[in-house]
Amino acid sequence: MSDHLHDELTKEREAEILAAEREVYYPPAEVVAAAHVKDYQSLYEQAVNDLEGFWAERAQELEWYAPWEKVLDESKAPFYQWFVGAKTNIVHNALDRHLKTWRRNKLALIWEGENGEHRTLSYFALGREVNKFANVLKSMGVRKGDRVTIYMGRIPELIIAMLATAKIGAIHSVVYGGFSTEALADRIEDARSKVLVTADGGWLRGKTVNLKDIADEAVRRSGYVEHVLVVKRTGQPVNMQTSRDFWLHDLLALPIASQKCDTEVMDAEDPLFILYTSGTTGRPKGVLHTHGGYQVYVSTTLKWVFDIKDEDRYWCAADPGWITGHSYIVYGPLILGATSFMYEGGPDYPFPNRWWQMIEKYGITVLYTAPTAIRGLMRYGESWPNRYDLSSLRLLGSVGEPINPEAWRWYYRVIGKERCPIMDTWWQTETGGFMISPLPITPLKPGSATRPLPGIVADVVDEEGNSCKPNEDGYLVIKRPWPGMLRTVYGDPDRYVQQYWSKFGHKGWYLAGDSARRDEDGYIWVIGRIDDVIKVAGYRLGTAEIESALVSHPAVAEAAVIGVPDEIKGHAIHAFCIPRAGVPLPTEEELKQHVRKEMGPIAVPARIEFVSVLPKTRSGKIMRRVLRARALGQPEGDLSTLEA
Ligand code: PRX
């Protein structure tokens, strides 16, 4: 089996996992006593015995304009439908309903800028800003079903723009602010967005990023955008194109930006957002989520896993531009009426104390981040966090890639002081929310996401679909549908079927694209991707996208990209390029700059090597396994299928 798998376990990692399988950490009694879910097994069994009844019960915790006729419709599988016939809008549950209660005066968002600026928004204030923004979008001609691309840094307007779009029934497509021209242009074009919301610039490590310039170039390349709405963040000079570009603050000052805006009544299955993510081949896929099932799934899972309470100050340190931010900065916490914290900058700027200082300052109770950030901060040593009072923390979280036991132990001991359980949440852009994750009551093993949440039937299977034996690597599959699942790939239903359902879809199983193993206790250990996706510092990148950025340089005829293990980032990008004959050879640095300009800093290869041939199969597929072995100085294995 392992021959087919992309991310194979190295001997060192395998030994680490085997040791960690025997290391169990029990949750403190007070955490267990306070937890929303006290009995995993009975909840899990309730879902197995009556999946529809189980989710109906969870959905009843939210408000609906009209009830559903059927909880789950499998008749068009794999195009599953949830809460069929129900009328709703996620913004009703995230904002409107709180405004009728005492929560209107509760803080929804606490925000700190990289430059130390500070802003808070109560539910009432956020609701008002969303209404004004929604009216501005309407004045630009945005209607139900239209797409709005949002491209900016981690500032409150990003959240306001998402909610405003959803409120009027339009579909948002947030593009991470760290992406660059070509990546943005591709995503605008695929979604055919009418409006682009951006900012003049963003702050990054004390410098400004020229977001508006990148946006201008992307709009020029893609050609669908009618209007660009610009948030003033840095105050840097930008070009504004008359009658196409508008400053948000100018429009907010006009009578069109009224504080009143009705929430559009949507069908449960109407699209809420498109979020692009990398897959096996070609361009990024637009993963589509809908209003009804998604709202039930993200709020339920957040309540269970991070045990959200009214007194919490919850900090998900991801970017709203990724699914983690969509589900667990924006929609999940707002639906639960929680107070969230968001920070504009990175963890170590200007000093590695930045995060710890803010945990102390704001009394953060839950911190949810990625292994790469933990490993990065760990490198600076314990003295940085030890200078701060972190006693407000009660739960920690990890997401985005497997967490190595060493980083887990550091996080647990140094940040959580051995009293904050770590929720290692396995999920994907496609799943909408947490799938395999501990609950605060779960005994933990460092590096394992533990068990599937109630309502999720997960398994590790071999090529034929048989469940693997303990500690045997196999395909991670989900055997029953769940409300937060993606509904399709935007504009490409065939790709949806092909990507997720071609292998085991005849059995009704979703293929996650990860390899995993289960230990003797039934705990799941996710190993890594089985496709051409590389996880770099938790970011999901497709080899095809980076390769196409490389070959868009005139001096590159062909390119192949692989991921190689990296101590901090999990994987680093290693590129092999065949130079184009007759064109002067660029330096490695020049090519890196080119990728940075086209794709963004996250996609820049750590190494670029020039080669005269690339190992390919007879059918012309690049043998990444051979390249990986070469890059790691390992034996190249069986080359019998190599091109003659
Ligand atoms: O390989 C798995 C890894 O991230 C992939 C999903 O990436 P993305 O869609 O960008 O979503 C990331 C945030 C939800 C998965 O297929 N992954 C995510 N969480 C974990 C993980 N691998 C191991 N352990 C995790 N906790």
Side-chain angles (χ1 to χ4, degrees):
M1 156 112 214
S2 69
D3 230 26
H4 304 274
L5 298 179
H6 173 135
D7 269 330
E8 289 158 39
L9 279 180
T10 57
K11 287 231 156 26
E12 295 77 24
R13 245 201 99 204
E14 170 129 41
E16 251 192 330
I17 289 183
L18 288 173
E21 274 179 20
R22 293 186 295 272
E23 200 178 316
V24 182
Y25 296 77
Y26 292 91
E30 63 275 15
V31 172
V32 176
H36 276 118
V37 177
K38 296 212 172 48
D39 183 355
Y40 166 86
Q41 203 56 36
S42 68
L43 208 54
Y44 187 88
E45 275 158 27
Q46 188 200 341
V48 168
N49 295 332
D50 176 15
L51 193 69
E52 291 191 50
F54 177 82
W55 286 115
E57 208 177 292
R58 314 274 102 59
Q60 269 144 12
E61 291 179 23
L62 301 180
E63 289 183 2
W64 302 78
Y65 299 132
W68 50 88
E69 285 141 25
K70 185 147 182 48
V71 175
L72 169 63
D73 180 357
E74 303 191 66
S75 63
K76 299 184 198 75
F79 297 93
Y80 296 94
Q81 296 198 307
W82 286 88
F83 306 107
V84 185
K87 299 284 180 200
T88 188
N89 186 313
I90 195 166
V91 178
H92 176 87
N93 282 305
L95 288 176
D96 302 356
R97 69 173 176 146
H98 300 315
L99 302 181
K100 297 180 284 189
T101 71
W102 64 271
R103 277 209 181 83
R104 75 201 302 266
N105 296 322
K106 183 179 170 177
L107 289 187
L109 184 68
I110 304 173
W111 174 82
E112 186 164 311
E114 192 190 81
N115 56 5
E117 254 174 82
H118 168 94
R119 210 172 139 190
T120 56
L121 286 156
S122 64
Y123 275 87
F124 172 72
L126 182 61
R128 184 186 55 206
E129 296 304 313
V130 167
N131 284 355
K132 290 172 70 93
F133 202 115
N135 284 319
V136 166
L137 289 176
K138 279 189 188 170
S139 78
M140 294 183 140
V142 179
R143 300 283 174 268
K144 186 172 180 173
D146 287 344
R147 278 77 57 210
V148 173
T149 295
I150 304 172
Y151 174 68
M152 59 176 111
R154 269 194 298 273
I155 54 176
E157 282 75 12
L158 173 47
I159 297 179
I160 295 167
M162 289 167 74
L163 295 164
T165 305
K167 176 147 193 160
I168 60 174
I171 305 168
H172 57 72
S173 162
V174 182
V175 177
Y176 171 59
F179 273 131
S180 199
T181 326
E182 189 58 25
L184 177 58
D186 273 355
R187 287 157 175 80
I188 292 175
E189 196 173 300
D190 190 85
R192 300 180 178 219
S193 290
K194 205 172 192 174
V195 167
L196 171 65
V197 184
T198 187
D200 51 354
W203 284 108
L204 186 70
R205 306 188 77 79
K207 297 202 184 82
T208 56
V209 183
N210 52 347
L211 293 174
K212 176 66 166 63
D213 293 348
I214 296 171
D216 284 342
E217 176 59 16
V219 168
R220 198 186 59 73
R221 287 195 203 181
S222 57
Y224 283 99
V225 169
E226 292 166 18
H227 291 298
V228 181
L229 187 56
V230 189
V231 177
K232 193 173 221 146
R233 168 69 189 125
T234 56
Q236 67 198 94
V238 292
N239 290 320
M240 296 292 279
Q241 191 175 308
T242 316
S243 75
R244 187 197 71 180
D245 301 354
F246 295 91
W247 286 107
L248 175 69
H249 59 263
D250 284 345
L251 300 189
L252 287 178
L254 299 177
I256 45 147
S258 142
Q259 297 189 18
K260 288 209 168 63
C261 176
D262 288 338
T263 304
E264 189 75 31
V265 175
M266 309 295 286
D267 284 334
E269 282 293 314
D270 275 339
L272 167 63
F273 65 82
I274 305 167
L275 188 54
Y276 286 89
T277 191
S278 302
T280 303
T281 48
R283 293 174 141 199
K285 306 176 290 224
V287 166
L288 188 89
H289 286 285
T290 55
H291 278 259
Y294 177 80
Q295 64 182 353
V296 174
Y297 198 68
V298 296
S299 56
T300 304
T301 50
L302 180 62
K303 184 173 160 184
W304 284 343
V305 172
F306 286 119
D307 213 22
I308 298 296
K309 308 267 168 46
D310 258 322
E311 54 276 24
D312 269 316
R313 289 221 163 153
Y314 159 84
W315 181 11
C316 166
D319 191 284
W322 304 105
I323 192 68
T324 312
H326 278 57
S327 302
Y328 298 114
I329 296 179
V330 183
Y331 292 112
L334 291 176
I335 295 172
L336 295 180
T339 299
S340 264
F341 173 68
M342 182 165 83
Y343 172 57
E344 184 183 31
D348 59 350
Y349 182 84
F351 301 108
N353 65 340
R354 191 69 194 245
W355 273 19
W356 319 128
Q357 192 184 41
M358 291 187 297
I359 289 174
E360 177 181 287
K361 177 173 167 191
Y362 295 106
I364 302 296
T365 55
V366 177
L367 173 66
Y368 183 33
T369 184
T372 187
I374 299 160
R375 291 191 293 259
L377 288 163
M378 188 172 139
R379 186 183 49 177
Y380 295 113
E382 305 182 17
S383 60
W384 290 98
N386 285 348
R387 260 177 247 154
Y388 295 89
D389 177 5
L390 306 180
S391 61
S392 56
L393 288 171
R394 63 179 184 83
L395 283 174
L396 301 172
S398 174
V399 62
E401 54 178 318
I403 180 164
N404 49 312
E406 191 196 348
W408 193 101
R409 290 184 201 108
W410 188 86
Y411 196 26
Y412 186 75
R413 180 176 59 81
V414 179
I415 308 307
K417 313 291 180 210
E418 300 184 350
R419 47 166 202 84
C420 304
I422 299 176
M423 303 297 107
D424 178 357
T425 60
W426 176 86
W427 59 296
Q428 309 176 297
T429 307
E430 293 87 341
T431 69
F434 311 144
M435 300 290 283
I436 302 175
S437 169
L439 298 171
I441 55 167
T442 310
L444 304 171
K445 299 187 186 188
S448 169
T450 75
R451 294 170 190 276
L453 290 176
I456 300 304
V457 183
D459 200 0
V460 178
V461 301
D462 66 16
E463 206 59 46
E464 279 74 49
N466 305 309
S467 296
C468 290
K469 291 201 264 312
N471 286 328
E472 201 178 87
D473 300 358
Y475 296 100
L476 183 56
V477 294
I478 310 297
K479 293 183 161 176
R480 292 292 289 137
W482 65 102
M485 68 197 300
L486 81 162
R487 297 303 194 265
T488 189
V489 170
Y490 185 73
D492 198 349
D494 293 345
R495 198 161 169 204
Y496 166 73
V497 176
Q498 168 64 27
Q499 181 90 30
Y500 306 103
W501 307 94
S502 62
K503 200 166 181 70
F504 297 118
H506 57 289
K507 296 175 191 268
W509 303 352
Y510 165 88
L511 182 75
D514 279 357
S515 57
R517 55 168 61 181
R518 221 197 274 257
D519 69 16
E520 307 270 357
D521 297 324
Y523 274 39
I524 294 173
W525 300 72
V526 175
I527 295 166
R529 298 289 308 188
I530 52 170
D531 52 11
D532 295 333
V533 165
I534 312 178
K535 278 280 177 158
V536 182
Y539 298 117
R540 175 165 162 182
L541 297 166
T543 51
E545 271 185 286
I546 309 166
E547 286 160 4
S548 103
L550 282 164
V551 297
S552 72
H553 191 282
V556 179
E558 242 186 288
V561 156
I562 55 161
V564 294
D566 179 274
E567 242 181 66
I568 305 281
K569 295 179 168 180
H571 288 97
I573 303 165
H574 197 125
F576 298 85
C577 296
I578 302 182
R580 189 177 295 282
V583 183
L585 200 66
T587 62
E588 193 176 333
E589 201 40 47
E590 259 176 81
L591 264 187
K592 286 184 183 173
Q593 278 308 327
H594 177 74
V595 177
R596 180 183 300 268
K597 201 175 135 281
E598 292 294 302
M599 278 282 292
I602 54 172
V604 176
R607 266 204 77 188
I608 302 179
E609 245 180 83
F610 290 99
V611 293
S612 52
V613 281
L614 289 170
K616 285 185 187 163
T617 61
R618 288 198 190 94
S619 58
K621 198 170 161 10
I622 292 168
M623 296 180 81
R624 290 176 212 282
R625 177 175 58 83
V626 175
L627 289 174
R628 235 184 330 272
R630 238 175 243 178
L632 298 174
Q634 289 166 351
E636 294 181 12
D638 177 14
L639 299 180
S640 58
T641 52
L642 211 60
E643 191 179 47

